[in-house]
């Protein structure tokens, strides 16, 4: 079927965190919310139909997970990323962030250290520090809007840490790592005996002819040292259903992870996430193929608008995710002043760049997964605010 992503959906009645938590996040409801990473688009119709049928059954008791659930994920990953996954090495998890939290606790020593590459998704900081581990940063090098790995620093830092959290593809920079870059990172982790967790939640949101490479698919040897977090929640806008999968290098690592969750009696899907995830991976591909060009056009719109009307703000069309990185340094504002400017002058709810890298100044993250008319209004407001400075 033909999907219309330009249609504005009223989310005021569905308890959306993106909208309902504006006052909590920004101190006001009077902002266009372009922050938390979900989309303002209805999901694929086959998923809606399957959930409607499940709701009409009227009984949602404890839910068994059939073999077809993991098979749907494996078939998807083989078809989309050419990655053969052994379903015997897969586990259910509530989400990729929850998986990261468990991996930090289970596979690093008390008081140990975890390497992250900044700027990066802020929960990488949070999940490390929640378990009293030390964050070690390998800061990306920025050159005229292009970000790259400082390889000398990366290897040096591996000597200090127990675990490396890789964002593949990268949030918020939208980098699609090449096989060569991934191989280099993985082989250095093996050399320094560091566990590698590859967060691949954005792996289906790829643009500009790029291809996602799953880190564990590089070679059998690398696969023996990588834990991978995957999910359809970002791909199909299902984050509220809380479901993901983890792929392990061996049965023992999987057993340690599973035991941790079983001790809290968390090991089943809820009735609706089971149905939604399996349907998404089996029947959602047509929706995704229509979504990707729409988001890509949104990127181009924002880039073009900034170049023509707000040259003080620099951005680019990312190769992955639906999140854009805004360089606002030419505005000459401190992080606190920039936050205040975006909220009270531009009336936009964005993510602060300093939450992705604590030494950063002057950046913002914008969620472009919304109807074009919302972005048009947001950019006009931003232009007017910048002109008023």
């Amino acid at each position: 079927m033909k999907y219309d992503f330009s249609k504005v959906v009223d989310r005021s009645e569905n308890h959306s965190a993106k909208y309902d938590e504006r006052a909590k996040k920004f101190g006001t409801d009077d902002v266009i919310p372009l922050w938390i990473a979900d989309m303002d688009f209805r999901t694929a119709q086959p998923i809606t139909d399957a959930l409607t049928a499940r709701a009409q059954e009227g009984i949602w008791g404890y839910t068994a997970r059939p073999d077809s659930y993991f098979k749907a994920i494996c078939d998807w990953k083989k078809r989309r990323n050419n990655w053969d996954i052994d379903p015997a090495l897969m586990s259910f998890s509530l989400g990729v962030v929850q998986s990261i939290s468990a991996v930090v606790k289970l596979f690093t020593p008390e008081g140990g250290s975890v390497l992250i590459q900044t700027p990066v998704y802020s929960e990488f900081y949070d999940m490390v520090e929640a378990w009293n581990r030390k964050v070690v940063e390998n800061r990306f090098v920025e050159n005229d809007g292009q970000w790259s790995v400082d390889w000398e620093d990366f290897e040096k830092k591996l000597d200090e840490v127990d675990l490396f959290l890789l964002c593949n593809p990268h949030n918020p920079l939208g980098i699609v790592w090449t096989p060569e870059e991934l191989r280099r990172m993985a082989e250095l982790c093996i050399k320094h005996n560091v566990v590698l967790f590859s967060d691949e939640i954005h792996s289906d949101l790829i643009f500009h002819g790029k291809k996602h490479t799953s880190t564990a698919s590089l070679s059998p040897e690398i696969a023996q040292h990588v834990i991978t977090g995957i999910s359809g929640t970002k791909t199909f806008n299902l984050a509220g259903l809380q479901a993901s999968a983890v792929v392990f290098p061996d049965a023992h690592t999987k057993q340690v992870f599973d035991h941790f969750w079983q001790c809290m009696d968390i090991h089943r899907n809820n009735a609706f996430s089971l149905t939604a995830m399996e349907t998404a991976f089996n029947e959602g591909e047509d929706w995704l193929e229509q979504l990707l060009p729409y988001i890509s056009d949104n990127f181009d719109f924002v880039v073009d608008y900034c170049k023509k009307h707000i040259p003080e703000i620099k951005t680019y069309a990312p190769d992955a995710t639906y999140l854009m990185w805004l360089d606002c340094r030419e505005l000459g504002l401190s992080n606190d002043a920039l936050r205040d400017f975006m909220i009270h002058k531009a009336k936009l709810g964005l993510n602060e760049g300093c939450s992705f890298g604590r030494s950063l100044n002057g950046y913002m993250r914008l969620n472009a997964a919304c109807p074009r008319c919302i972005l048009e209004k947001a950019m006009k407001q931003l232009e007017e605010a910048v002109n008023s400075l």
Side-chain angles (χ1 to χ4, degrees):
M1 64 178 292
K2 176 69 175 176
Y3 292 97
D4 181 9
F5 298 105
S6 65
K7 180 180 180 181
V8 176
V9 179
D10 181 3
R11 300 184 66 186
S12 63
E13 299 298 324
N14 80 340
H15 306 292
S16 162
K18 189 175 188 178
Y19 287 79
D20 289 5
E21 293 182 9
R22 281 178 291 181
K24 177 182 176 182
K25 174 73 173 176
F26 304 107
T28 176
D29 287 325
D30 188 22
V31 292
I32 298 175
L34 302 171
W35 61 296
I36 199 168
D38 67 15
M39 298 186 267
D40 287 335
F41 306 128
R42 294 188 186 277
T43 193
Q45 192 62 43
I47 302 172
T48 301
D49 293 343
L51 288 177
T52 300
R54 188 74 176 93
Q56 289 175 343
E57 292 174 10
I59 300 176
W60 313 298
Y62 295 117
T63 303
R65 186 183 306 108
D67 292 342
S68 58
Y69 179 83
F70 285 133
K71 183 179 186 302
I73 301 173
C74 291
D75 289 348
W76 176 270
K77 287 297 178 183
K78 175 62 177 177
R79 186 166 67 250
R80 303 285 300 190
N81 306 136
N82 197 32
W83 182 22
D84 288 303
I85 303 174
D86 180 357
L89 294 177
M90 298 180 74
S91 291
F92 167 79
S93 175
L94 291 172
V96 173
V97 171
Q98 289 84 350
S99 300
I100 291 171
S101 178
V103 166
V104 169
K105 174 177 173 54
L106 296 171
F107 301 109
T108 65
E110 183 69 28
S113 298
V114 178
L115 181 63
I116 65 175
Q117 296 173 308
T118 56
V120 75
Y121 183 47
S122 58
E123 273 72 2
F124 277 31
Y125 284 103
D126 299 339
M127 295 305 101
V128 172
E129 294 172 341
W131 294 111
N132 194 34
R133 274 54 165 178
K134 177 186 175 184
V135 171
V136 176
E137 295 185 39
N138 169 229
R139 296 174 184 172
F140 290 123
V141 177
E142 188 266 336
N143 182 19
D144 194 26
Q146 299 294 313
W147 299 78
S148 59
V149 177
D150 182 338
W151 289 104
E152 182 179 354
D153 181 72
F154 179 75
E155 181 163 15
K156 178 182 177 182
K157 297 288 176 61
L158 285 175
D159 268 339
E160 308 172 22
V161 303
D162 309 286
L163 170 68
F164 168 46
L165 299 179
L166 169 64
C167 202
N168 175 33
H170 192 274
N171 169 18
L173 301 179
I175 299 169
V176 176
W177 300 112
T178 66
E180 293 75 22
E181 289 169 324
L182 292 171
R183 184 179 299 278
R184 187 173 181 181
M185 284 187 259
E187 289 178 348
L188 286 171
C189 285
I190 294 170
K191 174 183 175 181
H192 291 271
N193 197 31
V194 171
V195 178
L196 194 165
F197 181 93
S198 188
D199 173 356
E200 303 190 7
I201 197 168
H202 290 281
S203 61
D204 298 315
L205 300 160
I206 308 293
F207 306 92
H208 309 132
K210 297 295 181 73
K211 298 292 184 183
H212 170 74
T213 301
S214 292
T215 311
S217 72
L218 290 166
S219 73
E221 180 188 14
I222 288 174
Q224 286 298 307
H225 294 83
V226 176
I227 303 170
T228 307
I230 54 179
S231 179
T233 54
K234 289 287 186 277
T235 307
F236 298 102
N237 207 26
L238 304 171
L241 291 177
Q242 294 190 304
S244 75
V246 190
V247 183
F248 296 96
D250 54 67
H252 173 72
T253 307
K254 170 179 161 59
Q255 182 182 31
V256 172
F257 182 91
D258 289 348
H259 177 71
F260 173 75
W261 292 109
Q262 286 165 358
C263 288
M264 293 182 284
D265 197 34
I266 297 174
H267 52 90
R268 293 187 178 93
N269 292 73
N270 71 60
F272 293 95
S273 73
L274 179 90
T275 298
M277 291 299 161
E278 188 167 342
T279 305
F281 287 120
N282 285 334
E283 302 179 47
E285 199 156 14
D286 183 52
W287 178 88
L288 177 62
E289 292 302 327
Q290 293 181 49
L291 170 74
L292 293 175
Y294 189 89
I295 292 178
S296 185
D297 287 346
N298 274 359
F299 293 157
D300 293 341
F301 167 76
V302 173
V303 170
D304 186 62
Y305 197 99
C306 287
K307 284 181 178 178
K308 290 180 178 177
H309 304 286
I310 325 174
E312 299 89 343
I313 295 179
K314 307 294 191 297
T315 190
Y316 56 89
D319 288 328
T321 82
Y322 44 74
L323 307 163
M324 301 188 73
W325 192 238
L326 307 184
D327 181 350
C328 308
R329 289 176 293 177
E330 285 190 21
L331 298 181
L333 302 174
S334 68
N335 284 332
D336 288 342
L338 180 60
R339 168 185 165 84
D340 184 76
F341 169 81
M342 288 297 180
I343 295 171
H344 300 293
K345 300 295 185 182
K347 297 187 182 300
L348 301 180
L350 308 179
N351 290 101
E352 300 167 72
C354 57
S355 68
F356 300 90
R358 291 172 180 171
S359 63
L360 289 175
N361 291 290
Y363 293 93
M364 284 278 171
R365 191 189 75 172
L366 179 148
N367 180 346
C370 60
R372 186 77 39 78
C373 63
I374 294 177
L375 281 181
E376 290 171 352
K377 186 173 188 294
M379 289 298 103
K380 183 65 176 176
Q381 289 178 193
L382 183 55
E383 178 190 4
E384 292 172 355
V386 170
N387 289 341
S388 74
L389 282 174

